[in-house]
Every structure is written in structure tokens, then in C-alpha cells.
Amino acid sequence: MPRVTGPLYGRILVLRELAVQGGSGKRREVSRGRSNHQGGGLVSLRSSLWRYLGLLAVAALAVGVLAGPASAKKMSAKQRAAVRTQLKKEIKKNPKAINRKSFVKRASLVNFKLPVTIALRGGSTAANPNKATVDLGASLGQREVDLGGSLSAELTFHDSYDGGALGNVDLSILPSANHSLTSTSIPLLWNTQVSDPATRYDANSLGLPTALSGCGNFVGSSALSFGGALAASGVVGGIPQPGGLPGYPFVDPSVSLTTPAGFLPVTPGVDSIDAVTAGKAAGDNNQVGGNPQPFPYSAQSTPGGFTQPPSPKDTVLRTNALNLGIAPAGTEVKQDNNANGVTGSQNIVVGKSGGQANLFGNIPGKAYGIDVTVSLKTRINSILRVVDQDSFGTPLITGNNYPAGIFNCRQIWTGGIDNYIPSVRLAGNLKIAPGITAGGKLRIAKATVSSLPGSEARFAVAACLAPYAGYDKEQLSSDTVAPTIPAGSAATGPGGTVPNAGLPADTSAARTPMPAANCNDAPTSLVASSALAPSSVSSLAPAVPADGYTTTSSGSSVSVGADLNVSNISLDILVGDVN
């Protein structure tokens, strides 16, 4: 048995001495001069009782000191591992076990870590309950953002020597290559010319009045007529009415300098203005949040010239559907002057993501059962819609580049910019609710979290403005080789049109994945060659102070301050690392 020394040993000796002497010092003094024996040498009952209690106290102290910590601190590493393995098996077999205090106590003895996946409920559905609001300031206003996805996390049960209330667990939220949050697209700028039903995509190419320029008829997955519906009958500008032409006409000098050799079909497809909708399904680039009027609008705040509240169709600049991962703790983020990030803000160091939860109720001293902080990282690519594009480079001639005018109403990707959203604090409640999800995953608990009043996360965000590649899918290596107007012999489709396979892009399919290029990288060949020769579209150069500018920014990106307020997130806590 180990030797006991120090003050505690002294107290043990005092108790022993008191026991042997029959009680306290005061009691013994009162008894001085009095015999401990009465008739026949019998020991006094009172003296024996004091002796017995004293010895009992000595034994209790010895057991408490020498044996007390043994169960918690004298387990070998192998024994601890065995207990942790047993706990994991127990929780998978019966998730309700986590609700038992005996389970929590055993888990605490071995610093048990339970790997979990925090999944947002219904994030990919039309009824997605997970909602946040991003306030972009007075110039841009507020936007609804709907969330989905999942995060990797670990629940750590406190060791009995760590202290803390019963049921309290640490929650560590971890960076992961496979788990991240997703969002809907965030609409930033709009133009009601896009959806105005009086406008048409071919107005500028036909030289029609400016009021008719827009994308009101740029809808659907079928080819549109070019120059149709200008009159009830007859011919207008050489175009038969009311049907018009089957596409943009082009001439082949080897056949004729005046008669069209064929037509380039105009099929909105993935660029159709009605593809951009109000919707809550996270991860969809075409859904811009659940608000059917996503832009600020009221009678007193409407800018002049707008006679209707903008709709999702009117979006001309929006972000991609964001992929929000956990930023590693200690990441240093340069934001004062970042060539591919936020500019004009303060540099930050990212903190650890996680916090605390209580399995049985509220965290002691707080009015909620979960208190966590997350720091997120994401890459933002912008999606631009071309509207009111000037017409040049006509007539279209075999062998020439595709001019920008024929891309009116189509969408273009920009390169990406790295963004960070630090210190998003969320609080809420957790209930142990074992069950099986629709996907066959083992759920151990449900939770709801939101931003605490007054604790909205403030951060700086940057978006790219420089065009990079078409929104639709590349064809004919048009990203790397400048495509040209085909020969008349290629016009083998209906009505003398060029089949889809002979065009530089497949308008029926979106480009996936989104471009990995950085903001202001040199654009793809199709975009670069869309200017009127010999000019080309290139990266934007920094502003020159000698020209009167007070900044050297290229203008390829814009940074603004934002506040993030999470109004509701519903969570499933799933056992293990699940997708």
C-alpha cells in the first residue's frame, strides 16, 4: 500500500489519537481523575463507542484517499480503449443508452469521443426549414439564404476530474473533405429589362427601338425564331412574317455574299430566364432563396424607372450555390489587400469551431442546451447574365469569330474568390431522439439552433465581376481554341440550321463543375474572342493613379461588409461518419 504523508496524514493521526483516548480533548479533560473501570473491570460503553467511531473515520479516510481515484485514474490505456469500444457498440445497438446517467458516467471515466455527423434536415427539399438572412448594407439590402448539407463533429464526454455539470459534453466541429454546408444562390443585382414581356432578345441585332431590348422572350428549351412577330404578315427587313428566321443567319463567301448559307439556332436551354426561380433547395445554382421578391422593394425605396418589383428572373448578378466548409483553426486570412479575396478589411485569424451541449436539458447557467461557434470558408463564383448587348460583327461570316452580340441574354461564369465567415455563434436546444432516417442512418438526437439576439456574425465578402466562361457546357474545345462560324455545308439541321453538335456550346446542359479559375484569370477562348477583331476580352489591369484614380484596384471584384443572422436550423445528429 502506498505511503500517505502530508497534512492529510497528520489529520489521520489526530483522529486515531482521539479514538484511542476516548473522544475529544475536552471530553478527556472533564474525565480526568475518573476511573475507566467500574465494578469487575468492564470498559465504559461511552468510551468504547468513541473508540469505535474514531477507528471507523480512520478507515473511511484511508479508503477514500488510497482507493477513491483508482476507478477513474488507474485504468490502463488498454482498459480505457476497451471501455470506449464497448461504449461505441452500446450506442450503435441502443442509441437510447446515451440518455442514461450510467452511460454518461462511464463515458466520462475514459474521455469517450463519439463521432457524429450533424446533418441539416430537409436541406435539399422545397420545404427546407433552414434559413438565414444576409444583410449586405443599404446599397444592396437583405437576402434570404437557405441552407443544407452536413458537418463532421465529435462529442467528448468530460472526465470525472474535469468538472462540469451532469450531461455536459464538448462539441468539436471539424474541417472535412466530405462534409460541408450548402446554400442557395445569393442574388445580388437585377434589371427588370430581363423579364419585361415587351422586350425581346434579338432587338439590338434587328436595330429595334431601345425600349424593346431585353430578354422577355428568352425562355424554354426549344429554338426561338429570329426576327419573328414583327408583323402579322409579309416581310420586314427581308425577314418573312410572322414566323421569322430559324436562327441567326450567316453567309458563306464560298457560296454567296448576300444569301444566308445557314442559321445558328437560338435555344435558351439552361440560360432560359425562367430557370432562375425562388426556391429553398440548397445546392442549386438556379434557386435564389425562398423569397419570391428577393430584392429590396417598397414604394419609397424603388429606384426611378422601375415600375414593378424585381423577380428572380431579373437577376443579372448572383453567386453560385455556396459550399461552406469548416475553416481550420489558426488559418490566417489576409483581407487588407488580397488579389484573390476580400480587399479593404482587417486581417483575421480563424478560431476553433465547436462549443458545448447538454444531453439532458439546458447548459447550467444558460437558457439553451447548445452553444457553438463555427467559422466557415467558401469559394464564390459569380454568374452574370448578358442583357442589352450591343450588336457588332454582323453579318455573321463563315470563318469569323462568334461575336458577343449573339450571346445576348445568356449567362457567364466568373472565376472564383476565397471568402471566410468567422465566428458565427449559434445556440438552441437538443433532445435525445433515437431513430432511423429516411436514408437509413442512425439518428441519436435532434436539435434546433439560431443566432442569439444581437450576435449576428459580421464579415467582409467579395464577389467577382470579370467574365471567364459560358454557363452552358463547352463543345468543340471552345475553352482553349477560338471557335469560328461554320461553313454553309454544316447547316444540315431543320430549316438549314447548324445541329447542336456543331456549335461551341451545348445549351441543353450546364457547365460542371463550376470554373476552378481565380477571379480575373484570362477567360476561355470563346469569351476572349467575342470582341470585335482585332480586339479581345482579357484580364482587367490595375487602375493607374496618373489617370486620376485613387485606387489601384482592377475592378474585377467588389468587397462589401455583411451581417449574417441565422433564424432557424433544424439538425439531425447522426452516429458515425455518414454521407
Side-chain angles (χ1 to χ4, degrees):
M1 178 179 294
R3 184 180 179 185
V4 181
T5 60
L8 182 59
Y9 180 62
R11 288 195 292 272
I12 293 174
L13 291 178
V14 170
L15 284 171
R16 180 179 179 277
E17 182 64 22
L18 290 173
V20 171
Q21 294 176 356
S24 67
K26 183 177 178 181
R27 172 73 186 175
R28 184 168 177 242
E29 185 176 326
V30 172
S31 304
R32 187 172 298 162
R34 182 176 176 183
S35 172
N36 288 332
H37 297 82
Q38 294 180 356
L42 294 178
V43 178
S44 166
L45 178 60
R46 180 175 298 174
S47 179
S48 297
L49 179 59
W50 278 110
R51 185 177 295 110
Y52 173 76
L53 291 175
L55 291 173
L56 186 61
V58 172
L61 279 172
V63 171
V65 171
L66 301 177
S71 59
K73 289 295 185 182
K74 290 200 172 182
M75 276 189 187
S76 66
K78 186 175 181 180
Q79 288 172 324
R80 287 173 177 263
V83 173
R84 285 192 286 265
T85 301
Q86 181 183 6
L87 292 171
K88 287 179 181 179
K89 290 180 179 179
E90 186 173 342
I91 204 68
K92 288 182 178 180
K93 183 177 180 181
N94 178 22
K96 291 184 179 180
I98 199 172
N99 212 20
R100 295 200 299 261
K101 296 180 180 179
S102 59
F103 179 93
V104 175
K105 186 175 181 179
R106 283 188 296 144
S108 299
L109 292 175
V110 293
N111 281 336
F112 177 58
K113 287 186 178 181
L114 178 66
V116 296
T117 300
I118 302 174
L120 277 66
R121 294 173 59 84
S124 60
T125 68
N128 183 2
N130 309 302
K131 177 182 173 182
T133 300
V134 176
D135 189 339
L136 298 169
S139 296
L140 296 176
Q142 297 184 353
R143 303 290 186 273
E144 175 180 326
V145 182
D146 299 281
L147 302 170
S150 62
L151 297 173
S152 300
E154 290 179 341
L155 292 176
T156 301
F157 291 77
H158 286 289
D159 186 278
S160 56
Y161 273 70
D162 293 337
L166 179 65
N168 274 8
V169 293
D170 287 335
L171 179 61
S172 298
I173 305 177
L174 311 170
S176 170
N178 299 316
H179 293 290
S180 62
L181 301 181
T182 55
S183 80
T184 48
S185 171
I186 303 175
L188 299 174
L189 298 176
W190 76 93
N191 184 341
T192 53
Q193 278 181 275
V194 175
S195 68
D196 187 340
T199 62
R200 49 190 298 159
Y201 82 92
D202 54 1
N204 289 354
S205 295
L206 295 169
L208 299 178
T210 301
L212 298 179
S213 181
C215 306
N217 64 341
F218 200 74
V219 296
S221 57
S222 300
L224 305 177
S225 70
F226 177 81
L230 295 175
S233 62
V235 176
V236 177
I239 300 174
Q241 297 300 311
L245 301 175
Y248 280 103
F250 67 91
V251 296
D252 185 343
S254 67
V255 178
S256 172
L257 293 177
T258 56
T259 303
F263 303 92
L264 302 176
V266 181
T267 305
V270 296
D271 292 316
S272 175
I273 64 170
D274 59 6
V276 181
T277 62
K280 298 184 176 184
D284 188 336
N285 290 321
N286 285 330
Q287 296 200 19
V288 292
N291 189 350
Q293 294 182 7
F295 301 104
Y297 179 81
S298 66
Q300 56 265 44
S301 65
T302 307
F306 289 90
T307 57
Q308 60 175 338
S311 73
K313 296 178 184 179
D314 294 313
T315 305
V316 293
L317 173 63
R318 69 184 191 273
T319 72
N320 60 301
L322 304 183
N323 189 293
L324 300 146
I326 294 297
T331 300
E332 298 181 11
V333 183
K334 181 177 174 60
Q335 296 188 139
D336 57 346
N337 185 18
N338 192 336
N340 193 52
V342 170
T343 296
S345 185
Q346 62 182 357
N347 298 334
I348 60 172
V349 178
V350 175
K352 182 180 178 181
S353 293
Q356 193 176 50
N358 191 285
L359 300 176
F360 307 130
N362 289 342
I363 300 170
K366 299 181 180 180
Y368 35 84
I370 302 176
D371 188 0
V372 297
T373 299
V374 295
S375 292
L376 304 167
K377 64 175 182 177
T378 189
R379 186 168 175 84
I380 297 180
N381 290 64
S382 300
I383 303 170
L384 309 168
R385 185 180 293 278
V386 180
V387 62
D388 199 11
Q389 170 63 49
D390 292 337
S391 179
F392 51 78
T394 56
L396 304 180
I397 301 174
T398 295
N400 285 359
N401 294 335
Y402 283 83
I406 67 171
F407 299 125
N408 192 40
C409 297
R410 296 209 176 273
Q411 298 176 107
I412 296 177
W413 279 110
T414 72
I417 292 184
D418 295 327
N419 280 264
Y420 288 82
I421 308 176
S423 304
V424 181
R425 188 182 177 191
L426 303 171
N429 295 293
L430 177 145
K431 292 190 296 185
I432 302 300
I436 303 297
T437 67
K441 310 304 181 185
L442 178 59
R443 186 191 68 216
I444 195 169
K446 288 183 177 181
T448 57
V449 295
S450 61
S451 297
L452 289 170
S455 67
E456 295 83 0
R458 173 156 291 185
F459 62 102
V461 61
C464 186
L465 304 176
Y468 177 76
Y471 186 75
D472 40 18
K473 184 180 179 181
E474 173 203 20
Q475 288 191 150
L476 305 179
S477 301
S478 62
D479 279 359
T480 54
V481 179
T484 57
I485 306 297
S489 58
T492 59
T497 57
V498 177
N500 183 64
L503 300 174
D506 180 3
T507 59
S508 68
R511 176 186 294 265
T512 55
M514 66 182 185
N518 289 328
C519 182
N520 207 29
D521 278 357
T524 62
S525 293
L526 178 60
V527 173
S529 63
S530 64
L532 184 62
S535 300
S536 64
V537 180
S538 59
S539 301
L540 294 172
V544 179
D547 291 335
Y549 293 102
T550 59
T551 176
T552 57
S553 170
S554 68
S556 60
S557 66
V558 59
S559 299
V560 297
D563 290 317
L564 176 66
N565 181 65
V566 178
S567 52
N568 178 78
I569 293 182
S570 298
L571 304 171
D572 279 336
I573 313 300
L574 308 176
V575 176
D577 179 3
V578 297
N579 293 313

